[in-house]
């Protein structure tokens, strides 16, 4: 099993979300983490925004991996949001983003954080899988695709 599948609760997948900007998407994700996991939305939003100020988390090809460190978080948690209408994201290819994998990690989770981000980048660099995820019709389909995907390079644990 891949790392993302272990960190992604089924109720943290929302498709067809309406958002007019990167900040609105971050607000939506922050509310989702608060409603589903009880993590205060302002802490999530501020963490995502602070990381984004260091440089865009947009990878290109319409996908992004916004992420942040949360003080007091016990273990990493992920969420997936697909947008009804793509938003500007300052991605390297200047393409707007419509599919986002959000990652929150404990404040001190350095090596694990890097392993997860590496795996997410690999997952989203697979064109066939990326296109299938972006066109998925339901959260169950997205979850199934994530759970059955296997990274090519295994990380030492």
């Amino acid at each position: 099993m891949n790392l993302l599948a272990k960190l992604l609760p089924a109720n943290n997948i929302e498709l067809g979300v309406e958002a007019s900007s990167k900040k609105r998407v971050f607000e939506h994700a922050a509310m989702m983490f608060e409603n589903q996991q009880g993590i205060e939305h302002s802490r999530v939003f501020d963490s995502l925004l602070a990381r984004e100020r260091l440089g865009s988390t947009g990878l290109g090809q319409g996908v992004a991996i916004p992420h942040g460190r949360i003080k007091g978080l016990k273990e990493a948690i992920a969420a997936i949001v697909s947008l009804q209408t793509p938003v500007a994201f300052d991605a390297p290819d200047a393409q707007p983003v419509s599919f986002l994998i959000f990652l929150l990690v404990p404040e001190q989770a350095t090596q694990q954080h890097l392993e997860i981000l590496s795996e997410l980048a690999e997952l989203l660099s697979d064109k066939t899988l990326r296109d299938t995820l972006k066109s998925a019709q339901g959260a169950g389909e997205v979850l199934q695709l994530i759970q059955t995907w296997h990274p090519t390079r295994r990380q030492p644990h």
Side-chain angles (χ1 to χ4, degrees), residues 7-83:
L7 308 174
L8 181 65
N11 59 358
N12 274 20
I13 302 172
E14 291 190 20
L15 309 182
V17 171
E18 283 290 343
S20 57
S21 68
K22 185 191 296 192
K23 279 188 176 181
R24 296 289 168 264
V25 179
F26 287 2
E27 286 174 357
H28 183 88
M31 286 307 300
M32 185 167 46
F33 281 114
E34 180 173 273
N35 292 337
Q36 304 296 349
Q37 279 77 41
I39 306 166
E40 187 181 335
H41 77 275
S42 62
R43 290 173 55 211
V44 174
F45 180 79
D46 292 347
S47 177
L48 293 171
L49 210 55
R51 168 54 191 86
E52 201 67 23
R53 284 192 192 107
L54 301 174
S56 177
T57 55
L59 301 180
Q61 309 298 321
V63 297
I65 309 174
H67 53 281
R69 296 176 185 278
I70 303 292
K71 187 174 185 170
L73 191 65
K74 298 283 182 251
E75 55 187 275
I77 184 97
I80 291 179
V81 174
S82 78
L83 302 177

Side-chain angles (χ1 to χ4, degrees), residues 10-156:
N11 59 358
N12 274 20
I13 302 172
E14 291 190 20
L15 309 182
V17 171
E18 283 290 343
S20 57
S21 68
K22 185 191 296 192
K23 279 188 176 181
R24 296 289 168 264
V25 179
F26 287 2
E27 286 174 357
H28 183 88
M31 286 307 300
M32 185 167 46
F33 281 114
E34 180 173 273
N35 292 337
Q36 304 296 349
Q37 279 77 41
I39 306 166
E40 187 181 335
H41 77 275
S42 62
R43 290 173 55 211
V44 174
F45 180 79
D46 292 347
S47 177
L48 293 171
L49 210 55
R51 168 54 191 86
E52 201 67 23
R53 284 192 192 107
L54 301 174
S56 177
T57 55
L59 301 180
Q61 309 298 321
V63 297
I65 309 174
H67 53 281
R69 296 176 185 278
I70 303 292
K71 187 174 185 170
L73 191 65
K74 298 283 182 251
E75 55 187 275
I77 184 97
I80 291 179
V81 174
S82 78
L83 302 177
Q84 192 75 34
T85 307
V87 297
F89 224 85
D90 302 318
D93 63 0
Q95 295 298 311
V97 164
S98 63
F99 190 86
L100 303 96
I101 300 178
F102 288 88
L103 177 65
L104 300 181
V105 297
E107 198 172 38
Q108 306 306 323
T110 51
Q111 186 57 39
Q112 182 197 29
H113 185 182
L114 296 175
E115 288 175 13
I116 297 165
L117 288 173
S118 170
E119 196 173 282
L120 294 180
E122 181 184 342
L123 179 140
L124 292 172
S125 68
D126 178 329
K127 182 182 179 353
T128 305
L129 180 59
R130 184 177 64 239
D131 291 346
T132 306
L133 284 167
K134 287 165 73 175
S135 64
Q137 296 302 302
E141 185 180 346
V142 170
L143 190 61
Q144 178 71 27
L145 288 163
I146 298 295
Q147 289 174 339
T148 57
W149 177 78
H150 296 285
T152 55
R153 40 181 201 268
R154 293 302 313 158
Q155 301 286 349

